[in-house]
Amino acid sequence: MSAVFYQTTNIQFWMSDYLVYINHVDFKSVVMIFSFVCISAPTSGAILSGYIGNKIGGYGSIYALPICIVGSWIVTAASLPICFIENNTIVFVLLWIMFFTGGIIMPLLTGCMLSVVEPENRPQANSLANTMYNLLGFFPAPFIYGFISEYTGGSTSKWGMISTMLVAPPASCFVMLAFYYKLDMKDYWTERKKKIIQQYIETHEGESEKTINNKIECFDENLSRANLKINNYPSILHVEIAESLLPGYGGANASNSDYSDFYSR
């Protein structure tokens, strides 16, 4: 996400000069068209992002990160040709697509990031994330662009903008890594559930098979409810709650209704 903010900052800060001095677009046209792009595209994308998030079931949905991955591919495909196209109409269209798609994926990415953090730690996580956005994205962007441009030809150099657009592919790779990590964590919790159930069976050999199966179903249902809360796999806290609410396990004797009461509170 820092890479996205880095790219966005440079485009908003330097693109108007790039269009005037390198693509030779009239200054008034740049102001009018580029302002329209910067206002309409991300705003429309953010509105559509809310609709999409609602349709897929929130940021914890299994579809959230895949949508972000596809969006990052679109941003990459739109950004890379910009510095090599002389038709300014196409340049403005590509910029609009970039900002529109970015407006869709950024809220989803932010929600995905915070949804894997325990609720009580989310304020600190959000603060840390915003600090990194500023240190790695907003703050260095104009200086790096200016430094590259100065040493590659000044105001007529394309290399500053090229370096900005080349940030998109690595950012896309980071989104794909996040999706891989999410799948890996889901497998981890699936295996842990199996071990917990096996441990329960081994320590309750005297009970009938029907009784054991009923209690395992109770645990499995509790764990499934936890899955709905944290990105389709439970946190350590949710596993411990599910264990404690498994009747006869962990020294507790609770029912499914107790688990429902816990979340209703």
Side-chain angles (χ1 to χ4, degrees):
M1 290 179 66
S2 295
V4 174
F5 284 117
Y6 172 89
Q7 187 180 51
T8 303
T9 302
N10 266 345
I11 292 173
Q12 292 178 338
F13 197 89
W14 290 106
M15 183 54 76
S16 56
D17 286 344
Y18 177 89
L19 292 170
V20 171
Y21 293 108
I22 297 177
N23 280 24
H24 307 293
V25 183
D26 178 67
F27 179 75
K28 291 184 179 180
S29 299
V30 169
V31 171
M32 293 178 59
I33 300 175
F34 190 59
S35 297
F36 170 78
V37 169
C38 289
I39 294 172
S40 64
T43 303
S44 303
I47 293 172
L48 183 58
S49 178
Y51 175 79
I52 292 173
N54 183 59
K55 281 294 183 181
I56 64 176
Y59 303 125
S61 168
I62 59 174
Y63 302 107
L65 275 177
I67 290 173
C68 292
I69 291 173
V70 173
S72 68
W73 291 344
I74 295 173
V75 170
T76 300
S79 62
L80 293 179
I82 285 178
C83 297
F84 306 99
I85 294 177
E86 296 182 359
N87 188 315
N88 293 310
T89 301
I90 296 177
V91 170
F92 283 121
V93 170
L94 292 175
L95 285 172
W96 197 94
I97 292 172
M98 281 183 60
F99 282 132
F100 175 75
T101 309
I104 294 174
I105 64 177
M106 289 306 291
L108 291 174
L109 277 176
T110 303
C112 289
M113 177 191 68
L114 293 178
S115 68
V116 299
V117 181
E118 297 292 354
E120 63 272 17
N121 294 326
R122 286 177 186 172
Q124 297 95 315
N126 192 40
S127 298
L128 178 61
N130 278 279
T131 300
M132 300 308 295
Y133 301 158
N134 282 280
L135 289 177
L136 301 177
F138 292 118
F139 179 72
F143 298 102
I144 293 175
Y145 183 104
F147 178 82
I148 293 174
S149 294
E150 182 178 354
Y151 285 93
T152 56
S155 60
T156 59
S157 172
K158 289 187 175 184
W159 284 104
M161 191 59 66
I162 290 174
S163 66
T164 296
M165 298 308 175
L166 288 176
V167 170
S172 180
C173 291
F174 282 123
V175 179
M176 289 187 282
L177 283 175
F179 181 65
Y180 174 81
Y181 174 77
K182 178 180 176 181
L183 292 178
D184 186 55
M185 287 297 295
K186 187 175 181 180
D187 291 339
Y188 168 79
W189 287 119
T190 301
E191 290 301 316
R192 173 156 184 190
K193 182 183 75 173
K194 292 178 181 178
K195 291 180 181 179
I196 292 171
I197 291 175
Q198 183 62 36
Q199 181 182 354
Y200 178 81
I201 293 174
E202 292 173 354
T203 55
H204 293 77
E205 294 180 355
E207 294 185 0
S208 66
E209 184 178 349
K210 182 178 180 180
T211 302
I212 291 177
N213 288 335
N214 287 338
K215 291 180 179 180
I216 289 174
E217 287 178 6
C218 173
F219 169 76
D220 202 29
E221 184 177 348
N222 290 338
L223 199 56
S224 296
R225 292 177 182 177
N227 288 349
L228 298 177
K229 297 294 178 179
I230 298 291
N231 232 15
N232 297 299
Y233 53 82
S235 64
I236 295 175
L237 173 64
H238 287 122
V239 171
E240 291 174 349
I241 292 170
E243 291 177 22
S244 67
L245 292 175
L246 175 58
Y249 185 76
N253 187 17
S255 64
N256 282 339
S257 61
D258 296 321
Y259 198 82
S260 300
D261 292 341
F262 173 84
Y263 270 119
S264 67
R265 293 195 297 269

